[in-house]
Amino acid sequence: MYYQLTWKILPGMKGMSCSEFHATPTNTPNNDQGVAFECLTEAECAELLLKLEAHFGAQRFSNNASAFETVKTYVLERMARK
């Protein structure tokens, strides 16, 4: 099943942070304007969301575009290794 990933990018004292990752099932994955990925089960999807929160929770970014591209690259590279 394909999922479309969303998250919040929030400003902070030390830069932008990414949090509140969510995945919505989709029949039309969109990697041009978002981040789509495939998981075999809901449990696998939930595990990825937890890993995203842990990985990006402490990171800070200089702007929204940098945060978005970093998350997108991380997810797409992770899915390519499966």
Side-chain angles (χ1 to χ4, degrees):
M1 168 157 258
Y2 282 97
Y3 293 88
Q4 197 71 40
L5 182 65
T6 59
W7 65 94
K8 290 189 178 184
I9 300 174
L10 302 171
M13 295 292 287
K14 296 181 181 180
M16 305 294 220
S17 65
C18 297
S19 63
E20 298 183 35
F21 290 88
H22 295 283
T24 305
T26 184
N27 291 325
T28 54
N30 180 347
N31 276 325
D32 292 329
Q33 297 177 342
V35 180
F37 62 94
E38 185 176 16
C39 286
L40 298 177
T41 65
E42 286 185 31
E44 182 183 2
C45 179
E47 181 181 337
L48 175 61
L49 295 176
L50 289 174
K51 287 181 180 179
L52 290 171
E53 289 285 350
H55 183 79
F56 289 106
Q59 291 189 36
R60 297 297 178 260
F61 303 92
S62 59
N63 58 57
N64 284 356
S66 174
F68 177 81
E69 288 301 322
T70 302
V71 171
K72 182 176 180 178
T73 300
Y74 178 88
V75 172
L76 294 178
E77 286 178 356
R78 187 170 183 82
M79 292 299 110
R81 286 185 261 151
K82 283 182 22 173

